[in-house]
Amino acid sequence: MGSGLRRRIKQAHFKSPQQEALLNLSVAAAYLREESERVVSAFDITLPQYNVLRILRGVHPDGHPRGEIASRMLDRAPDVTRIVDRLSAKNLVERDRSGDDKRQSITRITSAGLDLLRRIDVPMQHAFDEVANRLSARDCRNLSRLCELLYDGD
């Protein structure tokens, strides 16, 4: 393997190629998360809040109940209610109890939330392009296949 991981974590030897690969994957995931957090923090939101807004933009003008939002999040967050509360306080989402089940609210993205995502889209795409341009299309397909082997198991 390359020397990037060895330099980054200052470790010369690994127990196995599998250990080295999984550590590399962890470091790469942390790097991508840090880059994404850097972008969204400039807009005064967190990465989980950004994820919720993107989920809701995908079904706009409809919305989702809390459980559906939670099931679609990239990182399973036990505190979806608090995330939605914070977004609501910023007028980025709104909740409505106008369905058949009044106990369940539907959360929808507001026009302010859509506007915020439009402003985030360009710098986020730029950050991802900087990383993605280091990989060929074939590399990306292989990386996707390998990642799915890890978390999907099929």
Side-chain angles (χ1 to χ4, degrees):
M1 285 264 134
S3 59
L5 178 65
R6 286 176 165 77
R7 278 193 317 272
R8 187 168 188 123
I9 68 172
K10 297 171 178 62
Q11 182 174 329
H13 303 286
F14 301 95
K15 290 180 183 177
S16 65
Q18 291 86 350
Q19 181 193 41
E20 185 175 2
L22 293 177
L23 285 171
N24 254 316
L25 182 61
S26 294
V27 169
Y31 174 76
L32 292 173
R33 177 178 306 282
E34 289 166 7
E35 288 298 301
S36 298
E37 286 173 347
R38 180 186 55 75
V39 171
V40 300
S41 68
F43 294 89
D44 196 32
I45 64 169
T46 66
L47 208 47
Q49 290 171 344
Y50 174 70
N51 190 202
V52 168
L53 289 173
R54 285 184 42 100
I55 290 166
L56 294 174
R57 176 172 64 180
V59 295
H60 178 71
D62 298 324
H64 279 311
R66 184 192 55 79
E68 186 64 25
I69 293 169
S71 73
R72 293 170 180 257
M73 291 190 68
L74 294 176
D75 291 323
R76 301 294 186 224
D79 59 344
V80 173
T81 300
R82 276 184 277 171
I83 294 168
V84 168
D85 287 345
R86 289 184 179 114
L87 291 169
S88 181
K90 295 178 180 194
N91 297 313
L92 300 173
V93 301
E94 60 189 9
R95 283 179 272 195
D96 181 18
R97 294 191 186 275
S98 66
D100 292 336
D101 184 353
K102 300 292 186 202
R103 296 169 296 165
Q104 180 173 329
S105 67
I106 302 298
T107 303
R108 291 179 181 82
I109 191 168
T110 63
S111 58
L114 291 169
D115 180 58
L116 177 64
L117 285 180
R118 279 190 289 273
R119 291 186 290 129
I120 294 173
D121 282 343
V122 171
M124 186 63 82
Q125 188 62 52
H126 179 72
F128 271 96
D129 286 348
E130 264 188 41
V131 174
N133 288 337
R134 299 175 195 166
L135 302 172
S136 68
R138 183 177 181 188
D139 289 338
C140 290
R141 286 189 296 274
N142 283 330
L143 180 59
S144 290
R145 182 184 59 78
L146 292 171
C147 287
E148 287 177 8
L149 280 174
L150 293 175
Y151 68 79
D152 211 18
D154 293 337

